[in-house]
Amino acid sequence: MKKLCFVIPVLLFVVNVFCQIPVRRPVIPNNDQVSKTQTGARKDSLGFEHRNDAKDSISIYYRFLDSVRRYRIDSSINDFDKYFPLPSSWQALGNTGAAVFPLLFKPNLKPGWDAGFHAYDVYRFTVEETKYYKTNHPFSMLGYQLASGKEQMIKAMHTQNPRPNLNFGFDYRLISAPGFFVTQNTNHNNYRLYGNYQGKRKRYSSWLVFAGNTIRASENGGIAADSFLLDPDKKKRFSIPVNLGNAAAFEPNPFVTKINTGNTYRDVNLFIRQSYDIGKRDSVAINDSTTEYLFYPKLRLQHSFTYSTYKYTFRDITPDSLTYKKWYDITIDSPNVIVSASDEWKIMTNDFSLVQFPDTKNIAQYVSAGIALQTLEATLATGIIKDYNSWVHGAYKNLTRNKLWDITLNGQLYFTGFNSGDYSVYAGLDRFLNNKWGDVKLFFTNVNRTPSFIFDKRSSFSLGSNNNFKKENITSFGATSTNSLFQLGFVNTLLTNYSYFYNYHQSEQYSKPINILQIFGSKKFSIRNKWNWYAEAVVQQTDAASPIRLPLVYTRNRFSFEGKYFKNLNISTGLEIRYFTPYKANNYSPFNGQFVPQDTVTIKNTPDINAFLHFRIKGFTAYLRAENLNTASFKNGFGFINNNFAAPLYPTPGLMIRFGIQWWFVN
């Protein structure tokens, strides 16, 4: 029955789509048409057709769901963040694919249900980030990356419009990184299928996304002691003892995906949206046989269906009794004990909305209102629970026809169910001043949310929760100015009833308000002779007594030589330096995948220094990087053993040589 409930909406979607596609019948030309073809002035005597350059050129752009802005493909090569899944302002626990955290504070602004596992979110494909393309030629991309330690990454995407009103495509990514230390291997698979269709008369539209993620990450709990890094007998890092999964014999192998000690997170998401517009019809005759239909909507009826499954699992088949007793107060009195925990969720949401367009010829101005019903089912160690949520939501959007003003207002309120009382409001104003001063953006948001379910004592991962937490409240506001010279802005965030874990497994709620101020700026400096300096800096300040730990200053600088040679060769080469000031970085709890504050160890890292060579020839891009040059040391002979730390007992790798290619294809 459950499978049937899942399949029926998919079948309805397919039937609706293909019912809307018109059947093409052969066109029998009349005498006038034949005469025009045979006697046209552009027809050569030998029967050759003149080349249509506009037809052969590619035009491609994409949009996001609920957005009217068009985005072009970014072919720049000066920023490696465009090719790597982990942004520079995030920190991984030593290995690509490992748990990550932001160096710049980012609050959880999502009301409603939340499982609470976010240490691997940066690697996931989501419905919200799906790009819906529009292209006149099939477009594909293939990418491959190889790095030290047998690390590999494969990327692939394809999109095409078989008809002007129909687009479909897919994204795929594989990350495999055995790591340099014991029990550090990661293996992630991400896939996403998507499509959108608009009826010939432009009344009916539909969108489909099917996305899934499998996150596999071994957890070693960090190395046993920092002193092992300088031991001349431990230059092979997998000979250093670790806190969890300390296997007697270990060799990195990219083909081993089994997780004996670590986390496996899986999620599958199906999203279907259908809409029907009521409004004013129009048409334009392109030629004698072709008519372009136009439609100006006044009212839109919209239904969105989402079905998602999530499974979070931790498993350790060879648990260390001392570590589990110290960190989690778990007593292991037998060598055959397996430590495991699992939470599994099934969530179905139906959302009905009405969208009204006040200005007939400006689809970027609208008012929407809707109601949603969500069912929740969880399989936990304590049994099966079932619950629901219902909420109302509304929005106002106005991107003026002259593109100078962009106003956004939206909000939602959970009025019954599991997360009753949660709400969010957002207001944004974007004003384009002129080409010199650029854009000025202002925003304000306030969110009232139930603490994530991992703080609920019913969760299999909640070993020390009391289940009496109040709702968290987050208020954030800020401004950004972006122009051709610089970007400058600030964000101020106020949190109340902040929920967190301490001592690895015990949960707490900080009742006092926490204020976090962030001031940021970036600028490109043209030095001389094609040398450029890209500078980014962030200053962030919070109350030292709060459980939130942040570096005071974060900065990233790229010094690159950039030029174009031999007509099609684009080069960017130089140095990239990232640095953040010393701070008491959070500990990491492998069992529940949470970062927990500590007050005993201060992380004092040297700047991360990377040398890079990036180049592009038409649709082909390649990059060669030597990362972590700052780890060079002459202690006990030359080597790259002066490791930085991501967190206490979690060293980052030494020298990393990374090579990758990316190729765009136009069929």
Side-chain angles (χ1 to χ4, degrees):
M1 183 64 186
K2 295 180 179 178
K3 293 183 178 179
L4 186 62
C5 294
F6 177 83
V7 171
I8 288 176
V10 179
L11 294 177
L12 289 175
F13 173 84
V14 173
V15 170
N16 275 315
V17 167
F18 284 96
C19 286
Q20 297 291 331
I21 298 178
V23 178
R24 291 197 173 189
R25 297 179 173 85
V27 178
I28 302 176
N30 56 34
N31 292 334
D32 292 338
Q33 292 173 324
V34 173
S35 176
K36 289 178 182 179
T37 302
Q38 293 177 343
T39 62
R42 300 295 292 173
K43 191 75 173 179
D44 290 335
S45 59
L46 295 179
F48 295 110
E49 293 185 11
H50 283 270
R51 180 185 180 92
N52 187 338
D53 292 333
K55 182 179 179 180
D56 292 337
S57 63
I58 183 171
S59 172
I60 181 170
Y61 63 87
Y62 61 88
R63 291 174 174 167
F64 295 101
L65 192 69
D66 295 325
S67 173
V68 297
R69 290 185 179 271
R70 296 182 179 184
Y71 298 89
R72 298 290 179 180
I73 299 293
D74 188 353
S75 61
S76 61
I77 59 174
N78 56 25
D79 191 352
F80 186 62
D81 281 6
K82 297 183 177 69
Y83 302 96
F84 199 60
L86 183 63
S88 298
S89 60
W90 289 68
Q91 180 67 64
L93 293 181
N95 188 35
T96 302
V100 301
F101 61 92
L103 293 168
L104 309 178
F105 179 72
K106 297 181 182 298
N108 187 341
L109 297 175
K110 180 180 179 295
W113 175 86
D114 177 60
F117 301 88
H118 299 293
Y120 296 92
D121 280 0
V122 74
Y123 304 111
R124 296 176 59 247
F125 281 175
T126 64
V127 171
E128 294 78 12
E129 295 174 351
T130 302
K131 299 176 181 178
Y132 298 90
Y133 287 87
K134 180 81 170 180
T135 176
N136 60 350
H137 288 279
F139 178 76
S140 305
M141 184 276 292
L142 292 175
Y144 178 74
Q145 182 184 122
L146 182 66
S148 302
K150 302 180 182 179
E151 177 185 314
Q152 298 182 76
M153 181 173 68
I154 299 173
K155 297 190 298 182
M157 69 84 65
H158 174 78
T159 186
Q160 63 174 305
N161 280 76
R163 297 183 182 180
N165 59 340
L166 174 65
N167 171 263
F168 64 85
F170 72 87
D171 298 310
Y172 175 76
R173 184 176 65 202
L174 166 68
I175 298 175
S176 177
F180 296 90
F181 295 85
V182 175
T183 320
Q184 202 184 42
N185 58 296
T186 60
N187 185 274
H188 304 334
N189 276 278
N190 317 102
Y191 60 88
R192 177 167 49 203
L193 307 174
Y194 59 87
N196 68 287
Y197 170 79
Q198 186 177 49
K200 183 178 180 181
R201 303 285 180 171
K202 300 186 177 180
R203 288 177 174 268
Y204 172 83
S205 296
S206 56
W207 296 261
L208 168 68
V209 182
F210 183 71
N213 304 277
T214 299
I215 305 294
R216 301 185 185 95
S218 291
E219 305 282 8
N220 61 20
I223 60 177
D226 299 353
S227 57
F228 286 115
L229 295 173
L230 300 179
D231 189 334
D233 297 327
K234 304 293 185 183
K235 287 189 175 182
K236 283 191 173 183
R237 295 315 197 188
F238 51 79
S239 64
I240 294 178
V242 295
N243 289 306
L244 295 177
N246 195 20
F250 173 81
E251 288 288 342
N253 187 341
F255 300 105
V256 174
T257 61
K258 186 177 181 181
I259 304 299
N260 293 323
T261 301
N263 287 296
T264 301
Y265 297 165
R266 290 187 173 92
D267 66 88
V268 178
N269 304 275
L270 173 66
F271 173 82
I272 300 174
R273 172 176 289 180
Q274 300 183 82
S275 66
Y276 187 83
D277 292 349
I278 300 172
K280 180 181 179 182
R281 294 183 297 175
D282 201 351
S283 62
V284 175
I286 306 300
N287 52 43
D288 293 343
S289 60
T290 304
T291 300
E292 174 70 19
Y293 293 100
L294 303 177
F295 190 79
Y296 303 102
K298 294 296 292 182
L299 180 65
R300 174 173 297 166
L301 310 177
Q302 181 174 283
H303 172 249
S304 300
F305 171 83
T306 306
Y307 182 80
S308 302
T309 63
Y310 303 89
K311 187 173 183 179
Y312 306 96
T313 303
F314 176 84
R315 179 180 172 87
D316 189 351
I317 64 173
T318 56
D320 182 88
S321 58
L322 295 178
T323 300
Y324 278 92
K325 184 62 178 178
K326 178 182 177 182
W327 289 359
Y328 303 110
D329 197 24
I330 295 177
T331 301
I332 299 175
D333 51 12
S334 171
N336 298 321
V337 171
I338 295 177
V339 175
S340 64
S342 179
D343 280 1
E344 186 174 358
W345 290 86
K346 297 178 182 179
I347 301 175
M348 183 169 65
T349 305
N350 283 280
D351 188 326
F352 300 89
S353 299
L354 296 176
V355 185
Q356 199 267 332
F357 301 89
D359 188 344
T360 304
K361 296 187 177 182
N362 183 15
I363 198 172
Q365 181 182 3
Y366 61 83
V367 179
S368 69
I371 185 169
L373 176 64
Q374 181 183 75
T375 59
L376 309 170
E377 181 179 333
T379 302
L380 313 171
T382 55
I384 296 177
I385 63 172
K386 295 183 179 181
D387 216 316
Y388 76 99
N389 275 318
S390 58
W391 67 89
V392 292
H393 58 87
Y396 171 73
K397 175 75 172 180
N398 186 6
L399 175 61
T400 56
R401 279 192 271 179
N402 59 13
K403 310 299 182 183
L404 296 181
W405 292 91
D406 189 353
I407 303 171
T408 303
L409 301 171
N410 60 58
Q412 55 181 318
L413 171 64
Y414 287 71
F415 58 90
T416 59
F418 183 74
N419 297 104
S420 176
D422 285 16
Y423 68 81
S424 71
V425 293
Y426 175 86
L429 175 64
D430 185 349
R431 176 66 163 95
F432 178 77
L433 299 178
N434 50 50
N435 292 330
K436 179 179 180 180
W437 296 104
D439 277 298
V440 175
K441 298 181 180 180
L442 308 174
F443 82 91
F444 170 87
T445 184
N446 178 245
V447 176
N448 202 60
R449 61 182 303 273
T450 304
S452 301
F453 189 79
I454 197 171
F455 294 102
D456 192 306
K457 64 182 180 181
R458 292 173 292 179
S459 172
S460 307
F461 297 87
S462 180
L463 302 177
S465 295
N466 56 32
N467 217 42
N468 294 320
F469 286 173
K470 300 178 181 178
K471 290 187 181 294
E472 300 176 344
N473 190 274
I474 305 103
T475 301
S476 185
F477 61 91
T480 304
S481 175
T482 305
N483 54 57
S484 58
L485 298 177
F486 60 84
Q487 182 185 67
L488 185 66
F490 80 94
V491 175
N492 192 91
T493 304
L494 179 66
L495 301 97
T496 306
N497 297 327
Y498 177 73
S499 304
Y500 66 99
F501 282 89
Y502 70 98
N503 293 341
Y504 286 90
H505 71 283
Q506 293 176 294
S507 60
E508 186 59 270
Q509 194 167 55
Y510 192 78
S511 58
K512 297 181 181 179
I514 304 173
N515 192 76
I516 300 169
L517 174 64
Q518 297 169 298
I519 301 174
F520 57 88
S522 63
K523 180 174 174 57
K524 174 185 175 182
F525 297 92
S526 297
I527 303 175
R528 56 174 300 180
N529 296 334
K530 299 184 180 181
W531 280 95
N532 296 310
W533 172 21
Y534 298 89
E536 308 168 23
V538 180
V539 178
Q540 49 190 4
Q541 180 66 54
T542 187
D543 183 3
S546 76
I548 296 177
R549 305 288 185 261
L550 299 169
L552 176 63
V553 177
Y554 164 87
T555 180
R556 178 187 179 217
N557 296 270
R558 289 170 286 146
F559 302 91
S560 62
F561 176 83
E562 300 172 349
K564 186 175 182 180
Y565 301 92
F566 306 108
K567 188 178 180 179
N568 292 315
L569 175 61
N570 294 271
I571 292 179
S572 177
T573 182
L575 289 176
E576 177 182 275
I577 303 173
R578 186 188 73 161
Y579 175 72
F580 51 89
T581 52
Y583 77 112
K584 291 181 172 60
N586 289 336
N587 279 323
Y588 177 67
S589 174
F591 177 81
N592 52 23
Q594 304 297 310
F595 289 91
V596 297
Q598 56 86 26
D599 292 309
T600 57
V601 179
T602 299
I603 299 296
K604 297 180 180 179
N605 286 341
T606 59
D608 297 314
I609 301 176
N610 309 318
F612 63 88
L613 170 61
H614 305 166
F615 69 88
R616 177 172 57 84
I617 302 175
K618 293 186 176 180
F620 176 81
T621 300
Y623 47 87
L624 177 64
R625 296 171 60 85
E627 300 177 350
N628 304 325
L629 297 175
N630 51 288
T631 61
S633 173
F634 290 91
K635 296 179 180 179
N636 301 316
F638 181 76
F640 292 89
I641 59 173
N642 187 28
N643 301 69
N644 278 337
F645 281 82
L649 301 178
Y650 281 92
T652 57
L655 177 66
M656 289 280 293
I657 303 298
R658 194 181 302 276
F659 172 74
I661 60 173
Q662 182 170 287
W663 207 332
W664 293 347
F665 300 90
V666 179
N667 300 332

